[in-house]
Amino acid sequence: MNTLQFLMDGFSIAFQWQNILFAFVGVLIGTAVGVLPGIGPMSGVALLIPVTATLTAGLPTEAAAASSIILLAGVYYGAMYGGSTTSILLNTPGESSSVVTTLDGYQMAKQGRAGSALSIAAIGSFAAGIISLIGLVLLAEPLSNVALQFGPAEYFSLMLLGLAAVSGLAGKSMTKALMMTVFGLMLGTIGIDAVSGIARFTYDIPVLYSGLEFLTIAVGLFALGEVFKTVLERDHEDGTMAKIGRILPTRQDLKESAAPILRGSFLGFFIGVLPGAGATLASFFSYIGEKKFSKNPEQFGKGAIAGVAGPESANNAASGGAMIPLLTLGIPGSGTTAILMGALIMYNIQPGPLLFDDHPEVAWGLIASMFVGNLMLLILNMPLVKVFAKIIQTPKKYLLPIIIAISFFGVYAVQYTTFDLYLLLACGVLGYLFIKNDFPVAPLVLALVLGPMIENNMRRALTISNGEFSIFVTNPISLVLLLIAAAWLLVPLLLKLKGRSVVLNEEG
């Protein structure tokens, strides 16, 4: 009953006119972000943090944080919807978790069933969004209660697990992912040390005393990095676009996709809850599962509707599932949730077990707004499929200057320093070099967010134990978490070593 009451309070916040508007703008921009190849949810959310900070400037902190996070989360799950459009029509994934959708979606489009594929993707995404939200409502409260039992040692190990999970699964090379994690942790040490008050790595530059601003680094690495890549590599898509005929799916299409949608939703949700697993893994597992379940597996890759319905449901459910560790434990499981966490911390709101007690307006307002946002997405996506298909054809010469302008104006509006603009440019160049050389950027951003928290919890734990490092292994929960973190890194390594021909920096 208690949870239901909180959810009702959440809906009263979500139904405030400005929050309905923020949710609508979020899902609309999110769909556009998903539709535009190259701009993934991470770039979209990072770009919009400064915009939301400006829009909510006059509101009290709690209300401003609730409105901002409603808009940013809308961009996140909206992008998951939009990613299917380019996969189906152009054979070009809008973001990584839509890669699997190209296998059957584009084949369906070539057979003149693009409308059916797009509408099944929208229906599957809606069902998955609702299922994952019900899971979030049911699990949020009990999980936060468990997390309240955690001390500094357990938190240190839990955050280490979050880092290990993302490093273990990011990109093709685990070595490169670990290098990026360490680089992110190093950047996180710049500034005044919270415990001793000593300046670290600041070189007497006053602007560095407060540390590097997370927002500037995220926008630079993701948004500007992609801009430089597109400009320098003349990365212009020239795929032929499939025509959209009938929009609504046939009764047979609905019948064939009902079970894959349900299976994909549950599978995606549970994979999303695991830190580091993410939507891409969920959609791959779903596709493999559907092929196994199918009576005619030979149709997969030739336009099987289950090959669109399952993975699209799974990647949307995973984005809802990923919110659980973020909100209840303060552990972002992916690059995008790390950016959302950074946005909350900007408003002095710490995600974690106390979020539901200290800031119920933000937590439950966000959960309720995701119900509203998913409904908006379904209503938007069905009739406006052809409009979103037109967005794909936006010429890069118009799109890139807009992204650059939003990046610079946004960062300056929040920070008011020219130093941050130079840092933004430097991060843009770094972002391009990382992308070009296959270095995953998500572990860096995650390490930058988690680094200071890992350090603070480690030092608090050592203070409690009088400097004894054994506190991390004598504490049962902490030990289990550390063992899982070690397994997460070592198991893929051992599997790759067993398959002797597989080199460490290639995908196994």
Side-chain angles (χ1 to χ4, degrees):
M1 182 59 210
N2 208 5
T3 305
L4 200 61
Q5 184 55 53
F6 280 128
L7 190 60
M8 290 301 110
D9 294 345
F11 275 110
S12 68
I13 291 154
F15 284 131
Q16 289 170 1
W17 70 268
Q18 76 269 22
N19 289 341
I20 287 180
L21 186 63
F22 275 122
F24 178 73
V25 170
V27 296
L28 190 64
I29 292 174
T31 308
V33 160
V35 163
L36 291 164
I39 308 179
M42 280 196 270
S43 310
V45 174
L47 262 177
L48 284 167
I49 291 177
V51 178
T52 57
T54 314
L55 288 174
T56 58
L59 297 170
T61 309
E62 196 94 349
S67 298
S68 289
I69 206 73
I70 282 170
L71 191 147
L72 296 171
V75 175
Y76 178 31
Y77 54 87
M80 294 294 173
Y81 263 65
S84 59
T85 308
T86 38
S87 299
I88 291 165
L89 297 180
L90 273 183
N91 202 22
T92 310
E95 28 85 37
S96 59
S97 60
S98 296
V99 172
V100 191
T101 313
T102 57
L103 301 176
D104 283 283
Y106 188 59
Q107 295 302 319
M108 284 181 71
K110 287 206 305 198
Q111 296 160 15
R113 296 163 64 207
S116 281
L118 286 165
S119 54
I120 281 296
I123 292 165
S125 298
F126 173 72
I130 297 303
I131 287 171
S132 69
L133 277 167
I134 292 167
L136 181 55
V137 168
L138 296 176
L139 288 180
E141 201 70 16
L143 258 182
S144 357
N145 292 335
V146 169
L148 281 172
Q149 313 301 317
F150 280 28
E154 289 91 344
Y155 259 112
F156 167 79
S157 305
L158 181 68
M159 283 166 192
L160 220 54
L161 168 61
L163 272 189
V166 171
S167 307
L169 292 168
K172 293 178 184 172
S173 160
M174 193 199 271
T175 318
K176 287 179 176 176
L178 287 171
M179 285 165 69
M180 294 296 277
T181 306
V182 172
F183 185 40
L185 289 170
M186 286 162 67
L187 290 178
T189 59
I190 295 171
I192 300 276
D193 176 14
V195 179
S196 63
I198 294 169
R200 300 186 296 189
F201 308 112
T202 54
Y203 307 102
D204 292 330
I205 303 167
V207 77
L208 287 178
Y209 289 161
S210 57
L212 295 179
E213 180 53 45
F214 157 82
L215 168 72
T216 312
I217 290 176
V219 173
L221 288 175
F222 292 112
L224 278 194
E226 284 292 346
V227 167
F228 285 138
K229 178 177 182 277
T230 308
V231 172
L232 294 170
E233 298 186 4
R234 308 206 181 285
D235 186 11
H236 300 289
E237 285 81 20
D238 51 357
T240 49
M241 194 156 107
K243 293 275 176 286
I244 302 173
R246 173 196 166 102
I247 298 279
L248 291 172
T250 61
R251 188 171 290 179
Q252 183 61 24
D253 286 340
L254 286 169
K255 192 179 161 190
E256 283 177 24
S257 50
I261 285 173
L262 277 176
R263 283 195 291 263
S265 300
F266 283 106
L267 177 76
F269 174 71
F270 288 110
I271 290 177
V273 172
L274 295 173
T280 310
L281 208 65
S283 57
F284 270 102
F285 278 153
S286 171
Y287 189 81
I288 296 162
E290 287 314 316
K291 203 169 176 180
K292 288 257 195 305
F293 277 115
S294 175
K295 292 189 178 99
N296 327 338
E298 68 286 347
Q299 285 184 2
F300 278 73
K302 298 176 186 165
I305 199 154
V308 174
E312 272 305 304
S313 306
N315 73 30
N316 275 275
S319 66
M323 286 289 184
I324 287 187
L326 171 71
L327 297 176
T328 58
L329 304 172
I331 292 288
S334 66
T336 316
T337 46
I339 293 170
L340 287 173
M341 182 170 175
L344 280 170
I345 292 170
M346 269 176 61
Y347 288 98
N348 285 330
I349 287 173
Q350 179 64 57
L354 293 171
L355 177 71
F356 288 84
D357 288 341
D358 295 352
H359 308 283
E361 186 180 322
V362 176
W364 290 104
L366 168 63
I367 292 171
S369 80
M370 287 168 79
F371 278 103
V372 179
N374 270 290
L375 193 60
M376 284 177 179
L377 275 167
L378 187 67
I379 296 164
L380 269 176
N381 272 269
M382 298 296 272
L384 295 183
V385 159
K386 292 186 178 180
V387 178
F388 284 121
K390 283 273 179 278
I391 295 176
I392 298 173
Q393 295 160 312
T394 308
K396 288 281 164 77
K397 61 182 178 183
Y398 300 128
L399 190 63
L400 297 182
I402 293 170
I403 293 173
I404 294 168
I406 293 173
S407 301
F408 276 88
F409 285 128
V411 165
Y412 192 74
V414 174
Q415 289 306 110
Y416 299 121
T417 63
T418 46
F419 169 81
D420 275 271
L421 297 181
Y422 291 125
L423 180 62
L424 179 70
L425 263 179
C427 287
V429 174
L430 268 179
Y432 163 65
L433 293 172
F434 289 147
I435 295 164
K436 186 175 166 57
N437 294 296
D438 246 356
F439 280 88
V441 186
L444 187 152
V445 174
L446 194 65
L448 189 64
V449 173
L450 289 182
M453 293 156 67
I454 288 176
E455 186 190 3
N456 287 340
N457 280 300
M458 183 177 98
R459 288 167 80 166
R460 281 169 56 206
L462 289 174
T463 308
I464 293 165
S465 69
N466 290 328
E468 287 289 329
F469 278 92
S470 59
I471 185 170
F472 298 110
V473 288
T474 51
N475 192 310
I477 300 174
S478 174
L479 177 63
V480 169
L481 293 168
L482 286 175
L483 289 172
I484 297 170
W488 213 293
L489 292 175
L490 292 173
V491 169
L493 209 63
L494 294 170
L495 288 176
K496 285 181 177 181
L497 288 172
K498 281 189 96 170
R500 284 170 295 281
S501 61
V502 183
V503 192
L504 264 181
N505 64 351
E506 288 176 4
E507 202 137 45

